[in-house]
Amino acid sequence: MSKSLYFRRILGFVILLAALATIAVIIRYFINNAKNDNKNSSKSVSSDITMETIHFTESHQNRKDWELFAHSGIHDKPKEKTSLADVRFIVERDIKNGPVTVTAKQGVYLHTPKTIHLSGNVLAKTENGMTFETTQINYDSAKKTFMTKEKVRLTDAALSVDGVGMDLFVDRQQAIVKSRVEATVYPGKRIK
């Protein structure tokens, strides 16, 4: 009888250990699944949208301020920005002077502040023949201003200006080259 009581106690202890181990495995399984669900849900919230043939426009009082075209891009909704490739950016001026058309390899459009950052072989042209070239430039919609801290070259029929850093005010049709300025004036040539 004492042997059967001893055997029952050992058997009960083994069953209790097995039940505790099973409960520990089940709890660990649910904890790991909850962690994985949190990771997956945070990834899906910040998903990006890849697009081809992009077109943005900004206008005020039934007048188009600018248009932005890109071959492709990726929109990051949480950051409210769109990264662009092969960009053409057209800023409207008054009817008399026509638009400024800027092309670049890459760009980033920040939706909330409405600023555009262009880089890679940036080239701008106006209808009256003025151009500027740089490696990187930013456009601030609120100020209607192009800005760069990089080397820049401005040219038109009558002069060529090289320097570092520039602010170009679209409404005032004024460009300020900030430093290391070199200018060449072509006598006898005038802007039409």
Side-chain angles (χ1 to χ4, degrees):
M1 196 59 126
S2 66
K3 284 187 180 182
S4 73
L5 183 64
Y6 181 71
F7 178 73
R8 285 183 188 174
R9 285 184 181 168
I10 291 176
L11 184 62
F13 183 70
V14 169
I15 291 173
L16 180 66
L17 284 177
L20 289 174
T22 304
I23 291 171
V25 167
I26 290 171
I27 289 172
R28 185 173 178 188
Y29 173 78
F30 284 114
I31 288 173
N32 285 340
N33 277 349
K35 286 180 184 177
N36 288 340
D37 287 344
N38 286 340
K39 286 180 185 176
N40 290 339
S41 67
S42 67
K43 285 181 184 176
S44 64
V45 169
S46 66
S47 64
D48 295 336
I49 299 169
T50 302
M51 302 175 281
E52 288 189 25
T53 314
I54 299 167
H55 180 212
F56 291 111
T57 302
E58 182 175 311
S59 57
H60 290 98
Q61 300 172 348
N62 294 328
R63 182 180 173 270
K64 192 182 318 178
D65 291 337
W66 57 258
E67 285 186 281
L68 186 139
F69 300 90
H71 181 264
S72 62
I74 299 173
H75 179 68
D76 185 343
K77 186 157 179 72
K79 293 182 181 176
E80 281 299 311
K81 76 175 188 175
T82 303
S83 300
L84 307 162
D86 297 323
V87 180
R88 183 169 48 107
F89 179 54
I90 303 168
V91 178
E92 296 295 332
R93 299 187 299 170
D94 58 23
I95 296 169
K96 179 182 171 185
N97 292 308
V100 176
T101 303
V102 184
T103 57
K105 293 281 185 192
Q106 300 94 20
V108 176
Y109 174 44
L110 302 175
H111 296 267
T112 304
K114 296 184 179 179
T115 57
I116 296 135
H117 307 282
L118 302 172
S119 60
N121 297 332
V122 178
L123 174 64
K125 295 181 181 182
T126 65
E127 285 187 355
N128 62 2
M130 187 195 101
T131 64
F132 70 79
E133 300 173 64
T134 187
T135 57
Q136 179 275 330
I137 199 154
N138 302 319
Y139 180 75
D140 185 332
S141 290
K143 297 177 183 177
K144 295 185 180 181
T145 305
F146 286 100
M147 297 161 284
T148 185
K149 294 180 180 178
E150 303 298 321
K151 290 181 181 179
V152 65
R153 168 173 278 176
L154 286 125
T155 56
D156 67 15
L159 76 133
S160 175
V161 179
D162 291 309
V164 176
M166 177 189 72
D167 291 341
L168 186 131
F169 303 94
V170 174
D171 283 348
R172 290 188 271 170
Q173 300 178 35
Q174 177 186 26
I176 299 172
V177 179
K178 306 252 179 147
S179 65
R180 294 196 279 181
V181 179
E182 292 183 22
T184 305
V185 177
Y186 302 109
K189 294 186 179 184
R190 291 206 176 265
I191 300 173
K192 295 179 182 180

